[in-house]
Each structure stands twice: as C-alpha cells, then as structure tokens.
Amino acid sequence: MTGNPYLDISALDSSLRVRAFGMGQGWFATARGWQELSVWRTLHNLSPTDATNTELQEMSIPQFLLGGSIVVSAVVTLLTNFSVLLCFTQSAELRSHVPGIFILNLSISNIILALINMPVTFLGVASSAKPLRDQLCRAVSFTETFTTCNAMLSMAALSVDRWVAVVFPLRYSSKMRYRDAFVIVAYSWLHSLAFSLTQLMMRWGAYSHTYASCTLHLDVEEASQRSAYATFTALFYCSSFALCLFVLCFAYLKVLRVARSHCKRIDVITVQTLLLLVDIHPSVKERCLAQQRKRRQRAAKKICIFIGSFIICFSPYVITRLVELLPSVDIPRHWGIATKCLVYAKASSDPFVYCLLRHQYRKVLVSIIRRIVRKDQFFVSAHSTSSMWDTTDENFPDRIT
C-alpha cells in the first residue's frame, strides 16, 4: 500500500473511524474494520453517509435536549415537593393554616406526575416508540388527566383563599375553615375523577407519537368516535384550564386592587410623617420613598408570577391539543413534546411559586438542615472518639509490657 491510506477518510463509516482512530490501531484501517463496513453495507443496503444520517436521527440534538429537560423536571419536582411535605410534617404552624390543605393536594399531584408520567414520557422520547402496553398506557393516561386537572383546580383554590384573606380579612376565619377547604379539595378530586374515568371507560387514553407519552388520545381504529372525542377534549380543557384561568385572573386582580389601595394609604401617611419631620436626614427620606416603590411593585410581581407561570406553562399545550382536533392539522413531534415539557416544568416550579420562597417555609427548611448537620457532626465526633479509645485500648498491653 503506497501513500497515505487515510486520504479518502470521508468515505468511511463513522463506526470505522472510531475503530481506526479511537482504538489506537495506527495510521491504517484494519482488515476487520473493512470487513465490518462491508457487512454493514450488505445487510442494510445503505451507503456510509446514509448510515451516519440514521445514527444522527436516533441521537438528534432536540431529542437529547427534550429528554434531558424531562429528567431535570422529574428530579426537581420530586425534591421540591417532598421538601414541602417534609416542612408540613415538621411544623405545626404550617399545618394550622387552611391554605396548607390546598398546597398538600397540589404537591401530591405533582409527585404522582413525576413518579409515573414523566418517566414514561422520557422513555417515549428516548426510544421514539410506544414504551408500554395498551392497558398500562391507559392507566398512565388516566393518572395524567387526573393529576393535571387536580393541580389546576388546586391553584384556583389557592387564589380564592388569598382573595378571601385580602378582601375579607375580618371574616376570613368564618369564610375559610378546615371544613370548607376539605369540601373544595373533595370537589377537585370528583371533578378530576369524572373526566379521567370517562376517558378510561371510553378507551381514549393511548400512546401519542406527537407528545411521546401516554395521554388523552384517539386511536386510528376508533375514528368513528371522533366527534365525541373532540367534544370531550374541548369540554375537559374548558372546565379545567379556562375555568382555573378565569378564577386566577378574577381573584388576583381583586387582590391587586386592594393591595394598591392599602399602599396608597400607607404612602399618604408616610409622606405626611416625612413632611412633619423637618430635621430628618435626606438619606432617610430617600430610603422611605424607595420602600414605598418596592411595596407598590411587590404585589404586582407576585401576581404576575402566579398568573404568568400558569399561562406560560399550560396555554401552549392546551392550545395545541385543541388545534389538534382539526382534521387537517398535523402537529410537529418536537413541538408537541416541548409543550409537554412546559407542563412538567410547572410541576417543578409550583413549590417555589407557592411555598419555598416564603419566609415560613424557608425557616422550617433551615431548621431541618441544621438538625441534620448537627446529627452528622455528632456522629462524626462520636466515631472519632470511639476510634481514639480503640487505639488506646490496643496500645494499652504494649505499655504494660
């Protein structure tokens, strides 16, 4: 063989390049590598370029990013929601608050979604095929419909609770009691079960290639039920997403109006006080005015987070599901999976939006972490002390002798 044998390296298959360069076989292709290349061409009837394109399709960058986002969402959802449950078990003050019942209901729904639906969707994205059998896939789609609807209704219940607390502060204890909270949670469960059981009985839960998950889906074999399926789907999203969005907007806008009126009263009192205090330092006046501006913006920011996260995470998926009902519309697979990932991201962000960023929850988490660290330090110190005594006991006969 004369010349450089790798001048035509672009014509080789990617697997042969790995064998030639990665395995350290020198500056020439081995006979075994050429044999594998010929066998690949013979069995698959593909050129090396076609084989390379097939491998890239199997390990495409969008597929890898979508699968990674699902894994991250599942891990964050489990960690944060279990942290919320841990805070409730360790704090009697949090358990005494009525909104805690809605937060527990929301956390349980998110945990079920992360344990059952997210892994199945990840398998569908990674394999580009149906991950489960038909019966298991229907069960997984049942849990998705139930948990998604229950989570939306829990967010609406939290908005109603805050509306009652802000607009009717003196009558809050009589309007929102534990019994009322349990009634709301019971309605949320019945509402979610009604749609999920109907979906299960009508066999409208199956694997959807568009979303790479077991979800609300009509098989091609049951095309005769298309009108009933479209009516059910529209009714489901109108009674879950649209209803909850209306409740969120109504409740939080009322809260924002009351908060702004309170801020105006506080600002008037603050300005009158600053005018009376003539000898006050200018820096103190500027600090008071800056606190006024922050107070006015704080309520608007929180309400934008509550409503904005709900719209950003749920509306692309819901709109896509409704547009999908049109027979002439074909949804791209990557877009469908991306909208599903946004729904999963909402489950991982809910604990931060409603719980973990508040002072009470942070205080409980810090106390739990401190107790764990103290226990670890105690065990380490006890272990070091016992090892020192063991060493002393071993050397004790030597000293006697």
Side-chain angles (χ1 to χ4, degrees), residues 130 133-139 141-142 145 195-207 215-223 225-226 228-229 232-233:
K130 186 177 180 179
R133 296 181 180 179
D134 292 338
Q135 294 180 354
L136 290 176
C137 200
R138 291 193 190 99
S141 64
F142 169 85
T145 302
F195 283 97
S196 56
L197 287 175
T198 303
Q199 170 188 326
L200 185 63
M201 290 186 295
M202 298 298 294
R203 297 178 179 270
W204 289 339
Y207 176 76
T215 182
L216 180 63
H217 181 66
L218 182 67
D219 290 332
V220 181
E221 301 174 355
E222 301 176 355
Q225 301 179 358
R226 187 171 186 85
Y229 170 77
F232 174 81
T233 304

Side-chain angles (χ1 to χ4, degrees), residues 108-124:
I108 291 172
S109 298
N110 292 335
I111 289 172
I112 295 174
L113 192 70
L115 290 176
I116 298 177
N117 297 98
M118 292 186 190
V120 175
T121 305
F122 173 76
L123 292 176

Side-chain angles (χ1 to χ4, degrees), residues 178-239:
Y178 274 103
R179 185 181 64 184
D180 301 325
F182 281 116
V183 169
I184 294 174
V185 172
Y187 168 76
S188 175
W189 278 62
L190 291 175
H191 184 100
S192 305
L193 282 174
F195 283 97
S196 56
L197 287 175
T198 303
Q199 170 188 326
L200 185 63
M201 290 186 295
M202 298 298 294
R203 297 178 179 270
W204 289 339
Y207 176 76
S208 175
H209 181 73
T210 304
Y211 305 99
S213 61
C214 296
T215 182
L216 180 63
H217 181 66
L218 182 67
D219 290 332
V220 181
E221 301 174 355
E222 301 176 355
S224 59
Q225 301 179 358
R226 187 171 186 85
S227 59
Y229 170 77
T231 304
F232 174 81
T233 304
L235 182 62
F236 170 69
Y237 287 112
C238 288
S239 62

Side-chain angles (χ1 to χ4, degrees), residues 56-73:
L56 290 175
Q57 289 177 359
E58 291 178 356
M59 298 298 293
S60 62
I61 295 177
Q63 183 179 1
F64 175 78
L65 294 177
L66 292 172
S69 65
I70 294 172
V71 173
V72 172
S73 298

Side-chain angles (χ1 to χ4, degrees), residues 78-295:
L78 291 175
L79 290 177
T80 53
N81 286 278
F82 274 120
S83 299
V84 173
L85 296 182
L86 183 62
C87 290
F88 273 95
T89 57
Q90 298 296 322
S91 175
E93 181 183 359
L94 295 178
R95 293 194 300 268
S96 63
H97 295 166
V98 175
I101 299 175
F102 305 136
I103 293 175
L104 284 177
N105 190 34
L106 179 61
S107 298
I108 291 172
S109 298
N110 292 335
I111 289 172
I112 295 174
L113 192 70
L115 290 176
I116 298 177
N117 297 98
M118 292 186 190
V120 175
T121 305
F122 173 76
L123 292 176
V125 172
S127 62
S128 298
K130 186 177 180 179
L132 299 175
R133 296 181 180 179
D134 292 338
Q135 294 180 354
L136 290 176
C137 200
R138 291 193 190 99
V140 172
S141 64
F142 169 85
T143 59
E144 183 191 67
T145 302
F146 175 79
T147 54
T148 304
C149 185
N150 190 31
M152 290 182 183
L153 293 174
S154 299
M155 298 173 204
L158 284 170
S159 65
V160 171
D161 177 82
R162 299 198 178 196
W163 170 61
V164 175
V166 173
V167 179
F168 308 101
L170 299 178
R171 291 182 288 176
Y172 175 77
S173 59
S174 61
K175 286 181 173 293
M176 190 62 66
R177 296 168 294 182
Y178 274 103
R179 185 181 64 184
D180 301 325
F182 281 116
V183 169
I184 294 174
V185 172
Y187 168 76
S188 175
W189 278 62
L190 291 175
H191 184 100
S192 305
L193 282 174
F195 283 97
S196 56
L197 287 175
T198 303
Q199 170 188 326
L200 185 63
M201 290 186 295
M202 298 298 294
R203 297 178 179 270
W204 289 339
Y207 176 76
S208 175
H209 181 73
T210 304
Y211 305 99
S213 61
C214 296
T215 182
L216 180 63
H217 181 66
L218 182 67
D219 290 332
V220 181
E221 301 174 355
E222 301 176 355
S224 59
Q225 301 179 358
R226 187 171 186 85
S227 59
Y229 170 77
T231 304
F232 174 81
T233 304
L235 182 62
F236 170 69
Y237 287 112
C238 288
S239 62
S240 58
F241 173 78
L243 176 63
C244 294
L245 181 60
F246 172 77
V247 173
L248 284 172
C249 294
F250 174 81
Y252 284 125
L253 290 179
K254 292 289 185 180
V255 170
L256 181 61
R257 182 180 301 176
V258 174
R260 284 182 175 177
S261 65
H262 288 323
C263 288
K264 288 181 181 179
R265 295 175 185 175
I266 296 173
D267 293 344
V268 170
I269 296 173
T270 304
V271 171
Q272 291 177 354
T273 305
L274 292 176
L275 291 176
L276 292 175
L277 298 175
V278 181
D279 298 333
I280 193 172
H281 196 271
S283 62
V284 178
K285 290 184 178 181
E286 293 179 0
R287 193 180 306 169
C288 293
L289 295 175
Q291 289 179 357
Q292 287 182 0
R293 290 192 295 267
K294 289 181 179 180
R295 194 183 299 113

